[in-house]
Amino acid sequence: MVLKAKKTRRDHEQKNLAIEEASKEETTRLNAEIPVSLHNKVKMRAIEEGKGSSITNIVIKALEAYLDTPAPKD
């Protein structure tokens, strides 16, 4: 599988659709420093899942799953 060059933000119709699908509420940008290897794995998963999947969509689902688990008690 060959990775394609990054498109400009204005060309990310798929990203915008994923954000719209994930929530009808207002969005905000989340920036996080993650290892390149993790980013590449997430990007490959989005490609494997095909049309309609994106890194944004995967991150939203992962954060929702994380927040659905009970917080550890000290």
Side-chain angles (χ1 to χ4, degrees), residues 27-45:
T27 63
T28 187
R29 181 165 295 277
L30 170 68
N31 293 311
E33 297 290 328
I34 62 171
V36 172
S37 61
L38 178 60
H39 180 268
N40 289 337
K41 288 177 186 177
V42 173
K43 189 172 188 174
M44 291 304 296
R45 176 63 65 89

Side-chain angles (χ1 to χ4, degrees), residues 3-58:
L3 297 178
K4 296 179 182 178
K6 184 176 179 181
K7 295 180 182 180
T8 64
R9 286 194 173 115
R10 289 189 178 101
D11 293 335
H12 278 267
E13 181 181 337
Q14 188 177 32
K15 177 184 129 188
N16 292 336
L17 289 174
I19 291 170
E20 185 179 331
E21 246 180 61
S23 174
K24 297 294 179 187
E25 67 184 83
E26 188 175 342
T27 63
T28 187
R29 181 165 295 277
L30 170 68
N31 293 311
E33 297 290 328
I34 62 171
V36 172
S37 61
L38 178 60
H39 180 268
N40 289 337
K41 288 177 186 177
V42 173
K43 189 172 188 174
M44 291 304 296
R45 176 63 65 89
I47 291 168
E48 289 168 4
E49 289 181 4
K51 211 170 195 170
S53 185
S54 66
I55 292 175
T56 299
N57 204 8
I58 291 170

